[in-house]
């Protein structure tokens, strides 16, 4: 079974995971926190994060922002 079939975000508006505006603005931070809360209840968050680390994608994946994934990639290198 593909991990995406168990994704908690399947029933969530996809736009939630792509905060609009500057990453440091309040609306963007609040939206990111809301998306992270969904990821925090997701049974496939680990698989999602691993996928996102291998595929440079924008938005919130595996409970992380793009900037956080860049940091994780650097630490792994
Ligand atoms: S970790 Fe977040 S973005 Fe990834 S599948 Fe789960 S809910 Fe969706």
């Amino acid at each position: 079974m593909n991990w995406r079939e168990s994704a908690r975000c399947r029933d969530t508006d996809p736009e939630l995971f792509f905060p609009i505006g500057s990453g440091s603005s309040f609306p963007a931070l609040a939206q990111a926190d809301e998306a992270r809360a969904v990821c925090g209840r997701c049974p496939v968050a680990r698989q999602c994060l691993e996928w996102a680390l291998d595929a440079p994608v924008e938005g919130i994946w595996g409970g992380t922002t793009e900037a956080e994934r860049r940091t994780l990639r650097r630490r792994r290198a």
Side-chain angles (χ1 to χ4, degrees), residues 38-56:
V38 176
C39 296
R41 298 188 301 273
C42 179
V44 292
R46 187 181 56 79
Q47 294 94 322
C48 176
L49 176 57
E50 288 300 324
W51 176 85
L53 286 171
D54 288 340

Side-chain angles (χ1 to χ4, degrees):
M1 181 173 75
N2 187 312
W3 60 266
R4 290 172 190 256
E5 294 175 21
S6 300
R8 178 71 71 163
C9 56
R10 284 185 63 160
D11 300 324
T12 306
D13 182 352
E15 291 190 17
L16 177 65
F17 295 84
F18 299 92
I20 297 170
S22 165
S24 60
S25 70
F26 174 75
L29 290 174
Q31 187 176 343
D33 284 349
E34 195 176 338
R36 284 182 210 266
V38 176
C39 296
R41 298 188 301 273
C42 179
V44 292
R46 187 181 56 79
Q47 294 94 322
C48 176
L49 176 57
E50 288 300 324
W51 176 85
L53 286 171
D54 288 340
V57 287
E58 297 179 357
I60 307 292
W61 295 85
T64 63
T65 64
E66 199 175 348
E68 290 166 338
R69 292 192 299 278
R70 274 197 301 271
T71 300
L72 288 172
R73 283 189 202 99
R74 277 197 300 272
R75 286 184 186 157
R76 283 184 169 189

